[in-house]
Amino acid sequence: MQTKKRPSIITFSTQKGGVGKSTFTTLTASILHYRLGYNVAVFDCDFPQYSLIQMRERDLKTVMQNEVLKKMAHKQFTTINKKAYPIFQTRADTVLEEIEKYLDHQEIRPDIIFLDLPGTVNTAGILRALASINHIFSPITADRLVLESALSFTDVLTNVLMKEKYTEIRSIQLFWNQVDGREKTLLYENYEKIIDDLGLQLMNTRVTDSKRFRKEGEIAKTVFKSTLLPADPKLMAICRFDQFMNEFLEIVKL
């Protein structure tokens, strides 16, 4: 009997809030599922806010109330002939068991499972969950506190978890997010030297600040961050998210 292929388990994880982990989970999952033909599932473990569960509820209301988006969604789902990717509410200490239960009941298994995890390693079950993830992407900004927290977190994952025999981690990647073009290049060069000296991996793509169009409902005829529709290609190009996706795909080798 042929063994079913295991999905890749991926997370955008960081110890600091507000640097984009839920946003990147949504953007990446939607591009993969709706535009690139992969099958995706998302497990929202970020207790108690469960921001992705809430985002899906908001997205459903937004699409139903906007005729342009409603037509866009109808055309999309008719064309790809599959449903929206599921988002499950769970907790870090039970998510691995929940994933196995889900996979046991799927005739067509997802290619990728995203975990949206809490932002602290003190959460029950978080280290066990992280050790079972294949690829960890950690967004960072040019802020000393954010960077120190991210480097400490990534260093623990790299030098503790990845050296354990049981870990499933294949790669841990830092990447710049919310890059402001007015910031000095030398600032990034100095930070990148620190990252390199620690032996940590840094993606080449620098995602620029996208505040002006990343909020739901700001643009009536185009979409950026949505759990039901993929980001508009022009908006992706503006903040270099298209470049990020190309590099992401090279790393995870789906």
Side-chain angles (χ1 to χ4, degrees):
M1 184 176 177
Q2 188 176 6
T3 303
K4 289 185 178 181
K5 183 183 176 183
R6 295 286 300 179
S8 293
I9 303 180
I10 296 169
T11 189
F12 290 90
S13 191
T14 178
Q15 290 288 280
K16 279 285 183 184
V19 295
K21 65 185 184 69
S22 294
T23 294
F24 275 95
T25 301
T26 301
L27 289 171
T28 308
S30 294
I31 291 293
L32 291 168
H33 190 79
Y34 303 126
R35 186 168 288 152
L36 299 183
Y38 296 100
N39 291 313
V40 171
V42 176
F43 285 76
D44 187 349
C45 317
D46 198 5
F47 173 85
Q49 57 265 35
Y50 293 118
S51 56
L52 293 182
I53 292 286
Q54 293 184 40
M55 192 184 303
R56 170 57 62 81
E57 293 173 356
R58 289 196 303 271
D59 290 341
L60 285 167
K61 290 179 182 177
T62 300
V63 168
M64 293 307 295
Q65 293 169 0
N66 185 308
E67 287 302 319
V68 173
L69 297 183
K70 190 187 294 185
K71 289 178 182 178
M72 194 184 301
H74 181 267
K75 181 180 179 181
Q76 168 184 280
F77 289 114
T78 301
T79 302
I80 66 176
N81 195 30
K82 61 180 179 180
K83 297 178 180 179
Y85 57 81
I87 303 176
F88 301 103
Q89 179 176 313
T90 184
R91 296 173 69 122
D93 56 351
T94 60
V95 65
L96 298 180
E97 289 74 21
E98 294 294 332
I99 288 173
E100 292 308 315
K101 288 180 186 176
Y102 169 68
L103 293 177
D104 285 344
H105 292 85
Q106 297 305 303
E107 187 65 32
I108 300 176
R109 287 191 167 191
D111 303 293
I112 314 103
I113 291 175
F114 286 96
L115 302 190
D116 193 34
L117 296 169
T120 171
V121 291
N122 296 324
T123 304
I126 191 78
L127 289 178
R128 178 170 167 260
L130 285 166
S132 300
I133 290 167
N134 302 130
H135 299 281
I136 298 171
F137 293 85
S138 192
I140 53 175
T141 62
D143 174 278
R144 186 176 61 83
L145 292 177
V146 170
L147 196 64
E148 286 178 358
S149 175
L151 293 182
S152 174
F153 172 66
T154 310
D155 189 49
V156 168
L157 296 181
T158 302
N159 295 309
V160 178
L161 284 186
M162 285 189 75
K163 291 183 178 178
E164 297 291 336
K165 293 181 180 179
Y166 65 84
T167 184
E168 299 291 336
I169 300 173
R170 297 174 201 157
S171 73
I172 301 172
Q173 302 282 341
L174 295 162
F175 68 94
W176 292 115
N177 186 31
Q178 299 176 15
V179 173
D180 188 335
R182 295 169 296 182
E183 288 175 321
K184 295 179 181 178
T185 303
L186 183 61
L187 176 69
Y188 285 97
E189 290 177 353
N190 289 336
Y191 282 146
E192 288 178 8
K193 185 180 185 306
I194 295 170
I195 292 168
D196 186 58
D197 288 345
L198 289 170
L200 304 177
Q201 297 296 312
L202 178 69
M203 294 176 71
N204 293 320
T205 306
R206 294 180 180 179
V207 182
T208 58
D209 200 354
S210 56
K211 285 190 180 72
R212 70 184 184 276
F213 53 76
R214 72 184 180 200
K215 293 180 182 177
E216 300 90 347
E218 282 190 356
I219 300 176
K221 297 182 180 180
T222 53
V223 168
F224 186 61
K225 185 175 69 172
S226 172
T227 65
L228 296 174
L229 294 160
D232 180 90
K234 291 180 180 178
L235 299 182
M236 288 176 62
I238 290 171
C239 66
R240 300 177 191 158
F241 186 67
D242 54 346
Q243 296 176 37
F244 174 88
M245 282 302 304
N246 289 336
E247 193 172 355
F248 172 91
L249 290 168
E250 289 178 6
I251 291 167
V252 301
K253 295 179 173 61
L254 294 172

